[in-house]
Amino acid sequence: MRDIITILYNGFETLDVFGPIEVFGRLPEQFNPLFYSMAGGIITSTQKVPVMTQLVSELKSSRYILFIPGGIGAKEEINRGEFIAALRSLAGNAEFIITVCTGSILLSRTGLLDGRRATSNKMAFAWTRTAPSVTWIKKARWVKDGTIYTSSGVSAGTDMALGFIADQLGNAIAQQVSREIEYTWNENPGLDPFAELYP
Amino acid sequence: MRDIITILYNGFETLDVFGPIEVFGRLPEQFNPLFYSMAGGIITSTQKVPVMTQLVSELKSSRYILFIPGGIGAKEEINRGEFIAALRSLAGNAEFIITVCTGSILLSRTGLLDGRRATSNKMAFAWTRTAPSVTWIKKARWVKDGTIYTSSGVSAGTDMALGFIADQLGNAIAQQVSREIEYTWNENPGLDPFAELYP
């Protein structure tokens, strides 16, 4: 059993979070979704979803996957030293790290992506230029580098989460989850129909 | 501007709700997502997402879309007379009604689906036999009958929400939203690759 430590901030993107949580939450004997924020309490997505969170400072998980979603709010969080320091501390103890969309930009500020391959969402891909120590892969639904998985925008997180399940538990389990949620899984991380839509 | 009155109950299915909310929430000048429950307060999905809700009894919207998701919890809610009565009252004043997954079974108990065409999720399709006054369409990603949209399971709700946007605001807007969320939209309501997977 691994905790999924989901880091929320105001202005997170709704489906960045809940596509992967749907996938992980379908396997409750393997994964335990939890929601944290810097201040605790209610955190609201750009699409107005109010989610109850626990305080990051009170986190006690010992075996966990760190999950960093993206969203408009990332543009503010990236300038908050305390937030990035907390991410760095959490990332250092994580068994795996997964990011969706601009979550990879947030992770890049911790230094933990330096020298690694990663991707981000396609509409805001220009933002990756602010992290030149990372090898950014534009045409990718998601990228795995060691224990770090980064995905493209929003819906790509669902494909990545299923890819993570396939890597950890086998393709048959991932296929089973995708059928249960009636989701047509893009299981090829290199197949990215959105890479060419944005400059 | 229309409110999206989302009815939550413990044991709702995470992506049933947040796929459509991602889509509607992308058009904040058109749609205002709101979350309600019978008791108010925190309501938790099967995948452990705790969402803050308002009391249904305090709802004051005058122009709204009623959104009923499905989930394991529907098996308990369907036997609660107060819950079904509240749905009936809300549905009677709704401009449109949308359901995902077993949300259509809940709606069927109000009588408002009688004589209409509808669909539901494919794993639990046998449950539709308890509502013989409805014309259930098994092979459908979603079904539109007048002002009522019902979708198949979980991810089908995202396709339906984009279909609703296309009907109301034009296909170009729906396509734009699907590109923004890097989602490969199944825009054909009759194309249902999951209908044959379950008996």
Side-chain angles (χ1 to χ4, degrees):
Chain A
M1 167 73 84
R2 293 184 182 110
D3 289 337
I4 308 283
I5 303 298
T6 311
I7 304 298
L8 297 187
Y9 47 85
N10 288 311
F12 74 86
E13 186 73 17
T14 303
L15 196 54
D16 279 28
V17 172
F18 298 118
I21 291 298
E22 172 73 32
V23 169
F24 291 120
R26 279 264 160 187
L27 299 164
E29 292 180 9
Q30 302 285 342
F31 304 108
N32 180 41
L34 296 169
F35 301 89
Y36 284 86
S37 66
M38 292 300 285
I42 300 293
I43 296 290
T44 305
S45 75
T46 297
Q47 292 77 28
K48 300 193 177 178
V49 182
V51 181
M52 180 59 86
T53 65
Q54 303 176 64
L55 275 167
V56 162
S57 59
E58 293 180 358
L59 188 148
K60 289 182 185 67
S61 296
S62 56
R63 189 179 186 220
Y64 63 85
I65 297 164
L66 178 65
F67 175 18
I68 310 170
I72 291 288
K75 293 193 181 185
E76 292 192 22
E77 298 304 323
I78 205 159
N79 295 317
R80 289 192 175 133
E82 280 183 26
F83 179 76
I84 299 300
L87 281 192
R88 187 180 296 117
S89 169
L90 288 167
N93 292 312
E95 196 169 0
F96 294 93
I97 301 169
I98 62 177
T99 73
V100 177
C101 194
T102 49
S104 59
I105 313 285
L106 291 172
L107 182 61
S108 75
R109 289 302 188 275
T110 68
L112 280 157
L113 277 180
D114 286 358
R116 290 182 181 261
R117 298 164 71 249
T119 194
S120 188
N121 84 323
K122 297 302 135 68
M123 265 201 297
F125 208 77
W127 207 11
T128 61
R129 290 183 205 132
T130 63
S133 304
V134 182
T135 302
W136 294 102
I137 313 292
K138 183 163 183 187
K139 189 173 167 63
R141 193 69 173 155
W142 76 90
V143 170
K144 173 187 189 304
D145 188 326
T147 57
I148 302 181
Y149 287 67
T150 55
S151 90
S152 185
V154 199
S155 308
T158 308
D159 291 333
M160 176 187 68
L162 288 162
F164 181 89
I165 300 294
D167 290 347
Q168 295 294 311
L169 304 171
N171 189 272
I173 304 274
Q175 293 288 355
Q176 174 63 24
V177 170
S178 71
R179 282 192 299 269
E180 285 175 7
I181 65 172
E182 299 189 22
Y183 181 71
T184 302
W185 177 29
N186 171 357
E187 62 182 296
N188 176 355
L191 180 62
D192 179 6
F194 300 94
E196 265 115 67
L197 290 182
Y198 302 100
Chain B
M1 168 73 84
R2 295 185 181 108
D3 289 336
I4 308 282
I5 303 297
T6 310
I7 304 299
L8 298 187
Y9 47 83
N10 288 312
F12 74 86
E13 185 74 17
T14 303
L15 196 54
D16 279 28
V17 173
F18 298 117
I21 291 297
E22 172 73 31
V23 169
F24 291 121
R26 279 262 160 188
L27 299 164
E29 292 180 11
Q30 303 284 343
F31 304 107
N32 180 41
L34 295 169
F35 300 88
Y36 284 86
S37 67
M38 292 300 284
I42 299 293
I43 296 291
T44 305
S45 75
T46 297
Q47 293 75 29
K48 301 194 177 175
V49 182
V51 181
M52 181 58 86
T53 65
Q54 304 175 64
L55 275 167
V56 162
S57 58
E58 294 180 358
L59 188 146
K60 289 181 187 70
S61 295
S62 57
R63 188 177 185 221
Y64 63 87
I65 297 164
L66 178 65
F67 174 19
I68 310 170
I72 292 289
K75 293 193 180 185
E76 292 191 21
E77 298 304 323
I78 204 158
N79 295 317
R80 291 191 175 135
E82 280 183 26
F83 179 77
I84 300 300
L87 280 192
R88 187 180 294 115
S89 170
L90 288 167
N93 292 312
E95 197 170 358
F96 293 94
I97 302 169
I98 62 176
T99 73
V100 177
C101 194
T102 49
S104 60
I105 311 286
L106 292 172
L107 182 61
S108 76
R109 289 302 187 278
T110 68
L112 280 157
L113 277 180
D114 287 358
R116 289 182 181 261
R117 298 164 70 250
T119 194
S120 189
N121 85 323
K122 298 302 135 68
M123 264 201 298
F125 209 77
W127 206 11
T128 62
R129 290 183 204 132
T130 62
S133 304
V134 182
T135 302
W136 294 104
I137 313 293
K138 184 163 181 186
K139 190 173 167 63
R141 193 69 172 155
W142 76 90
V143 170
K144 174 187 188 302
D145 187 327
T147 58
I148 302 181
Y149 287 67
T150 54
S151 89
S152 185
V154 199
S155 308
T158 308
D159 291 333
M160 176 187 69
L162 287 163
F164 181 89
I165 301 294
D167 290 347
Q168 294 295 311
L169 304 172
N171 190 271
I173 305 272
Q175 294 288 357
Q176 174 63 25
V177 171
S178 72
R179 282 192 299 270
E180 285 176 6
I181 65 173
E182 299 189 22
Y183 181 71
T184 301
W185 179 28
N186 171 357
E187 62 183 297
N188 176 356
L191 181 62
D192 180 4
F194 300 95
E196 265 116 66
L197 289 181
Y198 302 100

